[in-house]
Structure formats: C-alpha cells, structure tokens
Amino acid sequence: MKTVAQLLRIKDEKNQQVHTVSPDDMVLQALMRMAEKNVGALLVVKNGEVLGIISERDYARKMVLRGRSSVGTKVGDIMVSPVITIDPHQNVETCLSIMTEKHLRHLPVVEDGKLVGLLSIGDLVKEAIAEQADLIRQLEQYIRGE
C-alpha cells in the first residue's frame, strides 16, 4: 500500500497545487478562488500553518442559509477548525479510514508543523482501486501458474 508521501509525489508530477486562503480574506475572495481553480475547498493558512478549511458546503450552510454576506464575512468566521491532518508516512488505507470515520472529503498533509500537500477522497479512492486491480491481476496470474 502506498504512503501519503508517494501519492503526493505523483500529484506533484501532475502539477497539482494546494490552494490556500488567509483567515482574514473575505468569503467572496475564497469563492472566487475556488471557482478560478475549479476546486471545492481551500485550506486556510497563516504563516505556513493550517488553521482551517473552507468548502462550498461551508458556504452553503453557514452563509447562504443564514442570510450572511460573503462580501463582509471573513473566511476565519466560517472555516472548519481545527482540521484533522495526516503526516506523509500514513498509508492510503489509514487515510480512507480517517475520512470515512470523520466524514471528511479532504486531508491536509502536514510535516513538522508545515503544510506539504492535500489529499482528496478522490485521490485516495483512485489509488485504492488501482491497488486492488493490481492485486487481482497478481492473483489471477498465480492461479494460472504464471
């Protein structure tokens, strides 16, 4: 099973960046950045430290449904905090377990207190499926005596 560090290297090769926002930015700025980058969530970071996460879901539930203005509300006012993080030495199975148990869609990767990457549920499911397909192929070859 691959480690988080290995998955992050694969994402780096594809130039997939972690998009962030400041807790002092307005929610409208965060929404515009999500739309520009075609992502559903942004990590809230200050001085390299992950303080929280803001998602489209947070916007819908904490802004729209409560009649708040995205122009006058800071990201820090609606972000989810604290954020559950993982370190690069965790494996895919552990990450999937955490995400399932905690109902998460994104896991920030932190090493020595600094953000080093972000994994989505899609990243992890894709890898788990690839690993299962490889195992099935190996078992079929074993059964055939190859």
Side-chain angles (χ1 to χ4, degrees):
M1 184 138 305
K2 283 188 180 154
T3 65
V4 168
Q6 290 169 314
L7 288 180
L8 290 178
R9 276 195 290 278
I10 292 167
K11 286 183 78 163
D12 284 346
E13 291 170 3
K14 297 177 183 176
N15 294 321
Q16 293 184 346
Q17 299 174 328
V18 177
H19 304 291
T20 64
V21 67
S22 163
D24 297 321
D25 288 342
M26 293 298 134
V27 171
L28 181 60
Q29 291 172 289
L31 290 172
M32 290 170 46
R33 184 157 176 89
M34 281 187 238
E36 173 191 339
K37 301 300 181 182
N38 195 30
V39 296
L42 298 170
L43 290 176
V44 183
V45 176
K46 189 168 189 173
N47 300 324
E49 181 184 352
V50 178
L51 301 178
I53 189 167
I54 182 172
S55 68
E56 293 166 335
R57 180 183 285 181
D58 297 318
Y59 174 72
R61 292 181 179 176
K62 297 174 184 175
M63 299 293 296
V64 174
L65 292 177
R66 295 183 184 169
R68 296 171 79 178
S69 169
S70 56
V71 175
T73 303
K74 290 184 179 183
V75 168
D77 294 339
I78 70 163
M79 70 182 182
V80 173
S81 181
V83 179
I84 295 171
T85 63
I86 53 170
D87 68 66
H89 304 97
Q90 299 292 329
N91 64 33
V92 170
E93 186 177 349
T94 300
C95 294
L96 283 170
S97 294
I98 292 168
M99 293 177 95
T100 301
E101 179 182 323
K102 302 292 184 181
H103 304 286
L104 305 174
R105 294 181 181 188
H106 302 89
L107 271 177
V109 183
V110 175
E111 187 171 37
D112 298 324
K114 297 294 179 188
L115 177 65
V116 295
L118 178 69
L119 292 177
S120 70
I121 190 72
D123 296 329
L124 295 166
V125 168
K126 181 179 173 182
E127 182 56 34
I129 290 170
E131 287 180 8
Q132 287 177 356
D134 189 49
L135 178 61
I136 290 168
R137 184 187 52 75
Q138 290 175 19
L139 290 171
E140 286 174 341
Q141 289 175 338
Y142 174 75
I143 290 168
R144 288 192 301 261
E146 295 175 8

